[in-house]
Amino acid sequence: MAKNQIYLTGLEAKPSVIVDAKTGDKQFFKYVFSNQVKIKDVPYSLVFNNGKRFLLSEESIKIINLDEEYWNFKNIGNYIIAEYYPKRPSSKSTSYDKKGNPLPPKIEEMPKKTSTILANNESLKRLVKNSFDSFITMYKKPEQKKEDGLVHVQLINLEDFNKPTPFDFIVLTKGNTHNLYDGKLVLIKTFVLAKATEEQLLDDCIKIVKQNLASSFNDNYSAPPMVMGSPTGVSTRSGEPSRIEKKPFKPFFYTEKLGNGKTLFALQETEEISKQILELEAGVRLYLNDKEHTLTIIPKEEENSRFSFDPKTGVIYLPKAYLITLGLTII
């Protein structure tokens, strides 16, 4: 939700509510699913209301109407991949029997779920002609460099980890047909391979583009090794400094039950530094959804309340009146 908005979800029979913290105005929707996709680094919620669906910005009042029933969005590289059910073709004209009586319409099968690639902007323009059932992203493997024996330090922050890595190639699969595109979605080759595994597709693509590829960016990338001397400052027996492979630390949010019965919500910024964000009074349950960046509070007798927090800092935008009602204390 936007910084001046509060999102409260009701029970199944009650609508979800978005409250403007400044004016007190309320908007009621059938369903609201927060932080479903990022468009130009701005998080959007997926909203269902009156038989329609649209995306609602969590930083402004911007609304993007959807011309397809898109759902299950994924930020993949510089693009967005979304699933949808194709629209049914318009019904054919009514058929009649020999006596001129109208025949009941034939029951058509429900279209199967499929996927497409959308532009990462407010147009959500479809960028590939054909839909697909699955995909594999591929990345160029860099040439291995000889170690120079120096200390290499790499600083990585939470924002960098949250940004999707642009892919170099992507394979879009439908049945036994596979379409290989480059990072700009230019079609390189279409080929057929029955019951192909990820390893088989990767091998074929390596032969097609004649480059060494990895199907996961994590397989393609490793942090430079941290080179540390021995504790006494003396080199090891071999005369070389001892080496410790140390992967970059990824900050994360967590909840912790305290000894006094209260619950803590915090951000582990580094291996040594933990930033406490809020504290919840005893007797109230707190659920963290770190993928959607939401917190759900379940009191003993009152209705559940769910709200979003900043995916980078964990900051929660709630006025004091709501903090007291929900039993929250900002630290």
Side-chain angles (χ1 to χ4, degrees), residues 24-192:
D25 293 340
K26 299 179 181 179
Q27 293 177 284
F28 295 89
F29 301 104
K30 181 72 174 177
Y31 300 106
V32 177
F33 299 94
S34 62
N35 201 33
Q36 292 298 294
V37 65
K38 284 188 176 181
I39 299 176
K40 294 295 184 182
D41 291 329
V42 176
Y44 278 75
S45 297
L46 179 61
V47 179
F48 294 80
N49 203 49
N50 297 327
K52 297 182 179 180
R53 67 179 66 194
F54 56 88
L55 295 174
L56 175 64
S57 170
E58 298 186 10
E59 294 186 359
S60 67
I61 59 173
K62 177 69 179 180
I63 288 177
I64 301 177
N65 293 310
L66 300 176
D67 57 0
E68 289 279 1
E69 295 185 355
Y70 294 129
W71 63 291
N72 197 16
F73 297 90
K74 296 182 181 71
N75 284 97
I76 304 295
N78 297 321
Y79 310 101
I80 295 171
I81 290 182
E83 295 181 2
Y84 70 102
Y85 286 95
K87 295 177 180 177
R88 292 188 179 187
S90 56
S91 59
K92 299 179 181 179
S93 57
T94 305
S95 300
Y96 298 88
D97 61 17
K98 295 180 179 180
K99 296 181 179 180
N101 299 317
L103 296 173
K106 293 183 179 180
I107 300 177
E108 298 179 357
E109 292 185 5
M110 180 72 180
K112 293 183 179 180
K113 177 187 68 177
T114 189
S115 301
T116 190
I117 299 182
L118 307 174
N120 192 337
N121 56 46
E122 294 176 2
S123 73
L124 293 179
K125 179 182 177 181
R126 194 176 296 188
L127 300 179
V128 291
K129 182 178 180 180
N130 299 320
S131 60
F132 54 93
D133 300 325
S134 61
F135 68 93
I136 301 175
T137 53
M138 298 181 183
Y139 307 85
K140 296 178 183 177
K141 278 192 173 183
E143 295 182 1
Q144 295 292 330
K145 296 182 179 179
K146 294 183 179 180
E147 295 183 0
D148 52 16
L150 300 177
V151 176
H152 297 267
V153 179
Q154 185 174 24
L155 300 177
I156 296 181
N157 56 43
L158 182 61
E159 183 178 358
D160 294 331
F161 265 100
N162 286 336
K163 286 185 177 180
T165 304
F167 54 79
D168 295 306
F169 301 94
I170 187 169
V171 177
L172 308 181
T173 297
K174 193 173 186 68
N176 296 324
T177 302
H178 315 279
N179 292 300
L180 174 62
Y181 294 82
D182 66 11
K184 295 182 179 180
L185 295 182
V186 175
L187 180 62
I188 298 176
K189 186 174 182 178
T190 298
F191 59 98
V192 176

Side-chain angles (χ1 to χ4, degrees), residues 261-273:
K262 295 184 178 181
T263 303
L264 178 71
F265 171 58
L267 167 62
Q268 191 71 34
E269 295 181 321
T270 68
E271 293 180 357
E272 297 82 18
I273 301 176

Side-chain angles (χ1 to χ4, degrees), residues 218-236:
N218 293 330
D219 297 336
N220 178 33
Y221 169 85
S222 61
M226 299 294 291
V227 182
M228 302 177 64
S230 58
T232 59
V234 181
S235 61
T236 59

